[in-house]
Amino acid sequence: MNVLCPLCDENITLLDVAQREAHADRCLEAMEGGHKLVVKEETAISTELKVETALIEKPLSDERDERLERIARKDKELELTYEAHLTKPKKRRNFKERKSEPPLKRSIPFFKILTFPGSKFAVDAFCYGPLEVDAYFLTHFHSDHYGGLSGSWKWGPIYCTPATARLVHYKLNVDPKYLCEVEIGQPCIVNGVRVFFLDANHCPGSSIILFNNKVLHTGDFRASPEILETVRGYTTKLDKCYLDTTYLDPKRVFPTQSYVISRCVEHCLSVQSTNQRSFFLKPRENRLLVMVGSYTIGKERLAIAIAKALDSKIWTPEPKLQILNLLKDNDLDELLLKSGNGVTCQVHLVSMSELNKEKLAERWKFLKKHYTHLLAFVPTGWTFRGTFDPASLPCPTSGTIGICKVPYSEHSSYEELQNFCNGIQIGKIIATVGSAHLNILQQWETR
Ligand SMILES: [Zn+2]
Ligand SMILES: [Zn+2]
């Protein structure tokens, strides 16, 4: 199954899920970068800059229309050339041209369309042009799911959780009249189909969606006994389950989030106290900084637990702070530093891409004036294929940096997928992510 980036159309089939998300995030940042430029240039007074601003400010829909026209013109030209020189082969566009002019309508994977008697829905399918469906559903705010949504969206109502709706409106400028908020666990009737959004244990606002108590779409989820119990509270038999098969591989073994969080918290406390006992440092000079990597949203729970243990607020860069404020999460509301200097906090929640040796060393030149040592946590699910040994986490001494890669996944491990599917009767399991082990799914279906 081919996977294209929802934003630039590049083929990202060979990338792992985290790499795909990072790729799409980069595309999104590039788009946002353009908008930032506009804001900056609006304050400029030179005519030259104003002209540039006017060029940049064109809304995306105009660009799309122009692109459509350009392609139509080009197609027409090609057609004419072809008619005039019937014996000559039709001119092929070179790779560069094709890349700058992505196909406007891609074929939609079958598992994104759900059909019920008298109703048709699309799930996480916004980059395929207008679809003949009664409603659209968005499971969560990650770019590989909302790709295609923008301020020019007008193809139908989008059902999602309130937190996701706020993010879609704020970040993507989608008109609120298209956003239908459904609280987790609250029933909702869409075109005659009874729908429940249930917690996905993935990122904030994420959901799995249960249709007519018979069909479950898991979006992206980290299966758990709690999720299984919740679903079983509605039904003991599913006709179909659209399953997040990101880690459908018996080799994908990793510990629970709560285990990893506890070990990371213990490690922070241990590093802090070890250094406090250092003979050469006075206690007031000893200050550990913990950086936690994250995507646009996701992985916040690790930062929250560490901040509580260290009795610190959490600093995060302004754009991310605005996003996290939209989640209306009690813990985050209490812990996030809303204004003031970040160096007053011992926990920084930053982009995953900031946590490499080079960038950290560069930042440390400034930060070492305020902290004595730095622990950076890179929470990831896909690099781990073996066991997690908390004792092997690096312990930075005074003046140094330790980078800890920890198996903190927001997708189900193989075992969790197996337990989930075996815990409820499922007639047909449909994979939503490519895997070399799809044949396993048949064994988990009820015969
Ligand atoms: Zn996701
Ligand atoms: Zn995803």
Side-chain angles (χ1 to χ4, degrees):
M1 154 184 344
N2 262 345
V3 181
L4 302 180
C5 169
L7 297 145
C8 75
D9 266 345
E10 201 168 302
N11 192 322
I12 51 173
T13 315
L14 295 176
L15 301 186
D16 214 316
V17 66
Q19 292 170 314
R20 286 176 191 170
E21 286 185 355
H23 172 100
D25 279 346
R26 272 200 303 279
C27 289
L28 193 72
E29 268 165 30
M31 277 165 64
E32 285 166 357
H35 287 294
K36 268 181 213 140
L37 195 65
V38 173
V39 174
K40 207 173 153 198
E41 288 186 0
E42 271 169 356
T43 57
I45 44 162
S46 98
T47 333
E48 204 182 317
L49 276 181
K50 273 188 185 155
V51 173
E52 271 181 37
T53 308
L55 285 172
I56 300 162
E57 265 183 337
K58 277 191 179 161
L60 280 172
S61 56
D62 280 8
E63 271 172 31
R64 192 186 151 86
D65 289 345
E66 259 180 31
R67 208 172 65 204
L68 265 166
E69 266 176 36
R70 242 184 4 250
I71 291 172
R73 261 202 315 270
K74 206 158 240 176
D75 281 350
K76 195 81 202 153
E77 279 166 23
L78 283 174
E79 213 177 288
L80 289 173
T81 322
Y82 181 66
E83 276 181 14
H85 306 88
L86 275 175
T87 50
K88 288 186 183 171
K90 199 169 179 175
K91 184 192 164 198
R92 286 175 71 101
R93 294 180 197 179
N94 65 32
F95 177 72
K96 241 183 173 170
E97 275 177 317
R98 258 186 285 146
K99 206 181 166 200
S100 63
E101 291 166 7
L104 287 163
K105 191 159 185 188
R106 304 199 308 238
S107 56
I108 180 166
F110 77 97
F111 57 81
K112 286 181 178 275
I113 298 287
L114 274 57
T115 311
F116 301 90
S119 296
K120 214 170 167 189
F121 301 142
V123 180
D124 295 343
F126 303 97
C127 53
Y128 306 95
L131 301 170
E132 283 177 19
V133 294
D134 300 296
Y136 292 80
F137 288 80
L138 175 59
T139 57
H140 66 291
F141 192 75
H142 274 162
S143 49
D144 53 330
H145 296 256
Y146 66 66
L149 277 179
S150 71
S152 55
W153 176 264
K154 56 179 178 187
W155 309 121
I158 302 165
Y159 289 81
C160 57
T161 63
T164 302
R166 287 192 291 273
L167 290 163
V168 167
H169 173 55
Y170 173 80
K171 284 287 282 179
L172 308 176
N173 216 13
V174 170
D175 190 329
K177 75 178 180 199
Y178 292 109
L179 296 170
C180 308
E181 298 179 12
V182 186
E183 294 281 354
I184 293 283
Q186 293 297 311
C188 154
I189 305 289
V190 184
N191 217 42
V193 176
R194 192 175 164 85
V195 181
F196 282 99
F197 283 73
L198 307 172
D199 181 40
N201 190 27
H202 182 60
C203 63
S206 62
S207 57
I208 60 174
I209 310 174
L210 182 62
F211 299 87
N212 274 347
N213 286 6
K214 288 287 169 215
V215 175
L216 182 70
H217 198 297
T218 64
D220 281 352
F221 84 140
R222 177 130 193 202
S224 66
E226 292 76 24
I227 291 185
L228 179 62
E229 268 326 291
T230 305
V231 176
R232 283 170 59 96
Y234 293 92
T235 180
T236 50
K237 189 175 187 311
L238 292 168
D239 291 344
K240 282 183 195 169
C241 177
Y242 294 82
L243 190 69
D244 169 16
T245 41
T246 300
Y247 294 136
L248 180 71
D249 178 345
K251 288 195 196 106
R252 296 298 190 161
V253 180
F254 36 74
T256 61
Q257 280 181 359
S258 57
Y259 176 83
V260 176
I261 288 176
S262 302
R263 297 296 84 78
C264 292
V265 165
E266 282 167 15
H267 189 62
C268 290
L269 292 173
S270 146
V271 168
Q272 174 151 279
S273 63
T274 305
N275 279 275
Q276 269 168 359
R277 284 200 297 272
S278 165
F279 178 78
F280 298 103
L281 286 166
K282 293 175 199 163
R284 64 185 169 82
E285 288 174 330
N286 189 6
R287 218 164 154 248
L288 168 69
L289 170 62
V290 179
M291 284 189 179
V292 179
S294 68
Y295 300 122
T296 307
I297 52 167
K299 323 273 182 182
E300 295 82 2
R301 273 180 270 188
L302 182 56
I304 289 171
I306 294 172
K308 282 183 176 173
L310 295 179
D311 196 19
S312 164
K313 291 259 183 192
I314 300 172
W315 174 84
T316 198
E318 182 61 28
K320 191 171 177 70
L321 179 65
Q322 288 178 7
I323 290 172
L324 295 182
N325 281 339
L326 293 169
L327 300 176
K328 299 196 175 166
D329 175 278
N330 290 342
D331 278 331
L332 285 172
D333 282 347
E334 205 173 291
L335 289 169
L336 282 170
L337 183 75
K338 299 285 163 61
S339 62
N341 199 334
V343 295
T344 58
C345 302
Q346 274 187 275
V347 180
H348 289 185
L349 186 58
V350 299
S351 163
M352 208 76 91
S353 61
E354 294 293 314
L355 300 186
N356 59 55
K357 265 190 206 161
E358 293 73 28
K359 285 193 179 171
L360 284 174
E362 194 53 41
R363 275 189 171 216
W364 187 238
K365 285 180 194 164
F366 163 75
L367 291 168
K368 68 182 177 189
K369 292 178 207 148
H370 305 276
Y371 304 91
T372 44
H373 42 305
L374 165 62
L375 258 186
F377 284 97
V378 182
T380 169
W382 59 282
T383 52
F384 280 82
R385 284 162 190 270
T387 49
F388 169 54
D389 178 13
S392 66
L393 291 174
C395 296
T397 51
S398 182
T400 63
I401 300 170
I403 302 177
C404 312
K405 289 197 173 176
V406 292
Y408 181 95
S409 171
E410 291 186 328
H411 294 272
S412 320
S413 67
Y414 175 80
E415 194 187 3
E416 287 161 346
L417 281 179
Q418 187 176 31
N419 289 342
F420 181 81
C421 291
N422 289 337
I424 189 163
Q425 293 183 54
I426 308 175
K428 179 87 192 142
I429 302 174
I430 298 140
T432 60
V433 181
S435 159
H437 304 270
L438 293 181
N439 55 329
I440 291 172
L441 296 180
Q442 286 169 9
Q443 298 164 21
W444 296 348
E445 291 170 355
T446 313
R447 279 148 214 270

